[in-house]
Amino acid sequence: ATPLVEHEMARSLVTSAGMRTIRLLAGNPPRSVVDLVQATGVTRTAVTEQLHELISAGFVERTVENVGLGRPRPLFSATDSALRLFF
């Protein structure tokens, strides 16, 4: 497939909710699930499912922040692929 066709196929994998998540992550510091729930107004389950889909598609990456004695906190950011493809 040509690069244009690949570009359109990749874009078609992302729902409108996924695009909203990518827009929230693009150009910003990594955000937590709680941050994304507050920003989108949807449930934690919906945000988590969307993040899993975006990670699988290669548009979001997950890192872990250690916050002292508590559990490590997962953070999410848009990948370079997402930024090139959507912006």
Side-chain angles (χ1 to χ4, degrees):
T2 68
L4 180 59
V5 170
E6 289 174 2
H7 175 84
E8 290 306 315
M9 287 172 32
R11 287 181 69 101
S12 70
L13 295 174
V14 180
T15 64
S16 60
M19 277 305 302
R20 180 177 40 206
T21 300
I22 291 170
R23 282 190 201 102
L24 288 168
L25 296 174
N28 291 308
R31 298 179 85 165
S32 69
V33 170
V34 172
D35 294 336
L36 294 169
V37 167
Q38 291 172 348
T40 60
V42 298
T43 66
R44 181 181 186 91
T45 300
V47 168
T48 302
E49 288 175 2
Q50 191 64 55
L51 287 168
H52 286 296
E53 290 174 14
L54 293 169
I55 290 168
S56 294
F59 299 135
V60 169
E61 62 187 1
R62 179 184 184 268
T63 57
V64 177
E65 176 184 55
N66 291 315
V67 287
L69 298 176
R71 279 192 295 178
R73 182 171 79 143
L75 297 174
F76 301 89
S77 55
T79 63
D80 289 342
S81 296
L83 297 176
R84 282 193 303 272
L85 190 60
F86 298 108
F87 300 100

